Amino acid sequence: MFACIGSLSAKPASVASIDPADLVEYEAQPQEMRQLIDTALALTKRNLAYTFGSNSPKNSGMDCSGTVQHVLQSVGVDETPRTSYDFYHWVKKESSLTDARSAKETNDAVFRKLKPGDLVFWEGTYNTGKRNPPISHVMIYLGTLKEDGRGVVFGASDGRRFRGKKVTGVSVFDWKIPSASSPSKFVAFGPVPGLEPRKPEIVAEPISEKKDYLKSLKSGLDKLFR
């Protein structure tokens, strides 16, 4: 069974890249999500191939789940799965997974919940044997381009497109739902477990300042009610 791990092999890279500032939603994202996007897009500038069995840029490329694993570990999410199938069940168990099998277009109502940084899952991109469900591909949704308002995903593939150009490797790609006739199907999406925004720290007011404030308040009330 193909498990997205195995002996290394690669096709020559032909990648596409964008800058974080090209994304509509980037500036509004919390620090953790901006770091995730920055890390992902930095990899698209290294001309890395789709390298089956790799989860490290040191191998001059990575496969789909290896790319996602590398990015998440780079931003501090240490306990991550290795295969797209295990990523699917990880999100389902530890976070929340939204089923989108019935969606025919990226403007379907179900995708109103889709946010930058969410993991997106497909099945049927290759024969997965006895996997249930037959999850075969995972990427990261990045948001929409300012230039055309269309969605962008990040990951690794040995043959997808970005704005009319065929690309291969660790790259950005069009956010697109497969056609009804395609053997591949879009399945679901969900946020990364453990990548929640940090809550702002509550800084306690120094006791001396509290005493000064209370003293001033008492003095003001005394004058008011004399």
Side-chain angles (χ1 to χ4, degrees):
M1 180 178 69
F2 188 107
C4 224
I5 53 176
S7 59
L8 301 182
S9 60
K11 293 181 178 180
S14 176
V15 303
S17 182
I18 60 172
D19 293 323
D22 295 333
L23 295 164
V24 173
E25 302 88 349
Y26 179 77
E27 292 300 329
Q29 296 305 304
Q31 178 184 347
E32 293 77 9
M33 209 55 65
R34 291 199 301 271
Q35 184 183 9
L36 175 69
I37 294 170
D38 291 346
T39 302
L41 291 180
L43 286 172
T44 67
K45 300 180 187 299
R46 294 177 60 175
N47 201 42
L48 298 171
Y50 176 86
T51 305
F52 172 53
S54 170
N55 63 351
S56 172
K58 293 179 181 179
N59 296 319
S60 299
M62 297 178 283
D63 61 25
C64 70
S65 56
T67 299
V68 172
Q69 184 188 52
H70 176 80
V71 169
L72 294 185
Q73 290 183 348
S74 295
V75 298
V77 185
D78 296 325
E79 299 298 323
T80 59
R82 176 59 182 90
T83 70
S84 56
Y85 176 79
D86 289 334
F87 268 112
Y88 173 88
H89 285 286
W90 180 57
V91 174
K92 185 176 182 179
K93 179 182 178 182
E94 303 293 340
S95 186
S96 61
L97 195 66
T98 300
D99 187 280
R101 292 174 183 272
S102 62
K104 295 180 174 57
E105 299 289 344
T106 55
N107 60 1
D108 190 281
V110 70
F111 294 124
R112 292 172 186 169
K113 296 171 61 177
L114 181 64
K115 297 179 180 179
D118 283 356
L119 300 186
V120 285
F121 298 94
W122 288 260
E123 65 183 28
T125 55
Y126 60 84
N127 184 357
T128 59
K130 295 181 179 180
R131 285 185 185 179
N132 184 26
I135 304 300
S136 59
H137 194 60
V138 59
M139 286 192 172
I140 300 173
Y141 178 73
L142 296 181
T144 52
L145 273 185
K146 293 177 180 178
E147 182 179 353
D148 57 19
R150 293 161 54 200
V152 181
V153 293
F154 160 83
S157 173
D158 61 357
R160 286 178 178 256
R161 291 185 174 273
F162 180 70
R163 303 311 190 256
K165 176 186 175 183
K166 187 173 181 179
V167 289
T168 298
V170 178
S171 179
V172 292
F173 303 89
D174 293 334
W175 161 230
K176 187 177 180 182
I177 301 300
S179 66
S181 60
S182 173
S184 66
K185 307 294 179 185
F186 185 77
V187 177
F189 63 90
V192 174
L195 197 64
E196 295 82 8
R198 298 188 188 95
K199 295 181 180 179
E201 295 182 6
I202 299 175
V203 180
E205 186 179 352
I207 294 176
S208 59
E209 291 185 14
K210 287 185 178 179
K211 287 182 177 179
D212 291 343
Y213 170 74
L214 292 173
K215 183 177 180 181
S216 175
L217 178 62
K218 183 177 182 300
S219 175
L221 289 173
D222 287 343
K223 290 179 182 179
L224 180 64
F225 292 104
R226 279 179 182 174

